[in-house]
Amino acid sequence: MTQRLDGRVAVITGAGSGIGLATARRFAAEGAKVVCVDLDAETGAKAANEVGGLFLQADVTDEEAVRDLFQRTVDEYGRLDIAFNNAGISPPDDDSILTTGLDAWKRVQEVNLTSVYLCCKYAIPHMQRQGKGSIINTASFVAVMGAATSQISYSASKGGVLAMSRELGVQFAREGIRVNALCPGPVNTPLLQELFAKDPERAARRLVHIPLGRFAEPEEIAAAVAFLASDDSSFMTANTFLVDGGISGA
Ligand code: NAD
């Protein structure tokens, strides 16, 4: 595989599963040193072990933990080139505006949106010192279009990630820091499987709207993240990068 990330140091949150795990594998295959961050000590450590990287257990909603994880990365490897802020949770059951309770709403904003704010806040100063960096924040296709399935708290959190990424991309462009939002369509990961297990008809309803006629595999999303992380995307920032099987174009 082309070594586009040779010598680069990358932090991936939610690296123990799904899109994060596939990206940890892809980054390592392209030559990066990978810091795997996850709340789950077992899956996170397993991922780090597999890719020969460092495992840091952290809750990305905890400000001190996030500040520490970026500092520890720089202490260990001397730099920070890539931050893939990806950890997230699925919508609560029956996530409609009429039924979602305030606590469930707040929890989704905290894990999916506040975590990205914290990760950007503590990654950017390290990148400013280097005059270069690439940040990829995981949003979702539901940030750019309404979904027939009720997921109001989830969609709102991802819309926030998208808006924040655009703003930061514009703000820090002249300092050599690129910030892009990744918007996957439905991806075959534990997050999606859990959602469909609760509501099997949801899968069929989703599939109908995907022009490519299937869900993505995590490796297909990881390939897009590696592109955004590498210099191959050097003229891209503040971008909404849809990898969605055509769902938003239909
Ligand atoms: P996943 O459940 O397979 O993996 C998520 C990982 O994040 C898990 O390892 C989990 O332990 C970790 N995590 C959760 N909360 C955390 C916290 N507070 N601190 C640290 N780690 C935490 O999910 P996935 O499908 O790979 O999703 C990854 C990202 O992609 C999420 O932001 C999700 O919203 C987004 N996304 C997923 C899909 C999809 O269809 N799977 C589509 C669009 C966007």
Side-chain angles (χ1 to χ4, degrees):
M1 189 166 279
T2 324
Q3 299 289 290
R4 289 184 299 184
L5 305 180
D6 193 24
R8 308 271 166 98
V9 175
V11 166
I12 300 177
T13 70
S17 175
I19 295 168
L21 176 59
T23 304
R25 290 175 175 146
R26 176 75 189 226
F27 278 9
E30 293 213 29
K33 292 186 175 70
V34 184
V35 177
C36 295
V37 177
D38 210 291
L39 189 56
D40 187 318
E42 199 182 321
T43 57
K46 198 168 162 220
N49 197 34
E50 184 190 327
V51 302
L54 178 69
F55 171 57
L56 297 178
Q57 185 182 18
D59 179 344
V60 290
T61 68
D62 176 337
E63 179 158 18
E64 206 174 311
V66 172
R67 191 186 56 221
D68 285 357
L69 79 88
F70 285 108
Q71 188 57 53
R72 282 189 64 188
T73 297
V74 172
D75 290 347
E76 179 77 18
Y77 293 120
R79 54 188 297 113
L80 172 71
D81 300 292
I82 301 155
F84 180 34
N85 302 322
N86 164 75
I89 53 173
S90 55
D93 293 345
D94 198 9
D95 190 18
S96 111
I97 189 77
L98 302 177
T99 54
T100 296
L102 188 57
D103 286 346
W105 162 274
K106 282 182 178 167
R107 180 69 190 146
V108 173
Q109 307 316 315
E110 202 180 10
V111 180
N112 289 1
L113 177 58
T114 306
S115 68
V116 176
Y117 147 75
L118 289 173
C119 287
C120 290
K121 179 173 179 174
Y122 290 106
I124 285 172
H126 295 295
M127 293 176 171
Q128 280 178 310
R129 277 192 288 279
Q130 294 165 195
K132 189 172 176 181
S134 175
I135 295 177
I136 304 108
N137 295 325
T138 305
S140 165
F141 73 101
V142 298
V144 299
M145 62 182 288
T149 46
S150 289
Q151 42 184 32
I152 191 68
S153 61
Y154 185 83
S155 299
S157 71
K158 295 303 189 179
V161 171
L162 182 56
M164 182 167 31
S165 305
R166 280 200 188 125
E167 169 131 358
L168 295 176
V170 171
Q171 236 176 67
F172 291 96
R174 299 294 172 101
E175 295 191 57
I177 302 169
R178 298 186 297 112
V179 185
N180 291 296
L182 171 81
C183 296
V187 189
N188 186 19
T189 69
L191 184 145
L192 198 74
Q193 288 151 10
E194 186 192 311
L195 215 55
F196 290 164
K198 283 187 211 154
D199 178 3
E201 279 180 22
R202 192 179 181 129
R205 288 203 300 275
R206 264 291 152 71
L207 213 45
V208 171
H209 296 288
I210 306 173
L212 284 180
R214 62 177 178 82
F215 301 122
E217 290 305 319
E219 292 72 23
E220 294 177 286
I221 308 300
V225 184
F227 167 70
L228 290 174
S230 78
D231 291 343
D232 279 354
S233 59
S234 53
F235 201 54
M236 287 175 63
T237 197
N239 192 276
T240 304
F241 201 71
L242 284 147
V243 190
D244 67 352
I247 201 167
S248 60

